[in-house]
Amino acid sequence: MKKNKSIFLLSLVLASSVFVSCEDSIDKVNSPIPYEAIGGYDSSDDVAATHLVSKFSFDGNISDSKNGITGGVGTNVTYGAGIKGEAYQGSSTSFIAYNNVANSVIGLKNISVSMWIKTNPHTGGAQSLFMLPKKTDFWGNIFTLIEGTGPATTMLMKNHIQKDVTPSIPWAGQFIEHGGANALKNMFGSWKHIVWTYNGTSSTYSIYIDGQKLDLPASISKRYASDPLTGGVGYGELANSEVSKFIIGGFQQHLGMPWGTPDGWMLNYTGLMDEFRIYDSALVDNEVAALYKLEKDKR
């Protein structure tokens, strides 16, 4: 009888061991599978992390998670479905005014601006996506505009950079225009990832759409401090001046004094915007490609 009882107990122990072993195997099989790195990065915030000075995700709020731009007040701000969480939904009366800009943004010498937008053609003027204002000038320091073209398949985008130095240079404020043969194609009706960069060391401008660098003529990509036909040298590092406040979805004139009131052609951005970022460096090809893929993958 004792022998049979011992055999029974041994069988019970073995069965328990097998059950625990199977349970461990099930846990291992069902444990979360880590994401595969993209371009060597696990998250979009890992890309050029030490150079990211401002980031707006618009997940139900207007905050900059890097605190480079703070004190925001929204006017008629709403949110829609974004590429990653929620997104800022613009309208003809919407914008966000920020009162405080940190030195990390004011002192930008090189720059990359990254954002997702989803918009449609418009008429009647230019819509401003964002602007770093300048108190003593009609134009701001750094900004991006979309010109009204009516029903079209191409987008006329203008980016603006500034270099205010002493002694002053002839071409201090520069519009970089994507029009004519260099207008941006297939930009309306769906989410598009835009990154534009300026490298002060090489005086070079670049733009990327959905992670791909566009082939630009030298007349757009190479920037000069004065006319190169008369001996102009490279534009060099950026230098903003008289910076006051920051605006998303409008012109500095929408902020009121000291800029007055907006002209009729100065329009608020009416589309969606998501994952707006500013870097103090010119991102390179593999960084932009990784950023695009990671954000698209909601990482």
Side-chain angles (χ1 to χ4, degrees), residues 39 95 113 254 264:
F95 65 90
V113 176
H254 287 102

Side-chain angles (χ1 to χ4, degrees), residues 2-13:
K2 287 183 179 179
K3 183 177 180 181
N4 291 339
K5 188 174 182 180
S6 299
I7 292 172
F8 173 76
L9 290 171
L10 179 61
S11 299
L12 184 62
V13 170

Side-chain angles (χ1 to χ4, degrees), residues 14 37 86 111 117 124 130-131 143 156 170 193 225 238 259-260 264 267:
L14 290 172
E86 290 184 303
I111 190 172
I117 64 170
F130 80 94
M131 184 170 285
F143 53 87
L156 199 172
H193 187 237
L238 302 176
W259 299 283
L267 307 179

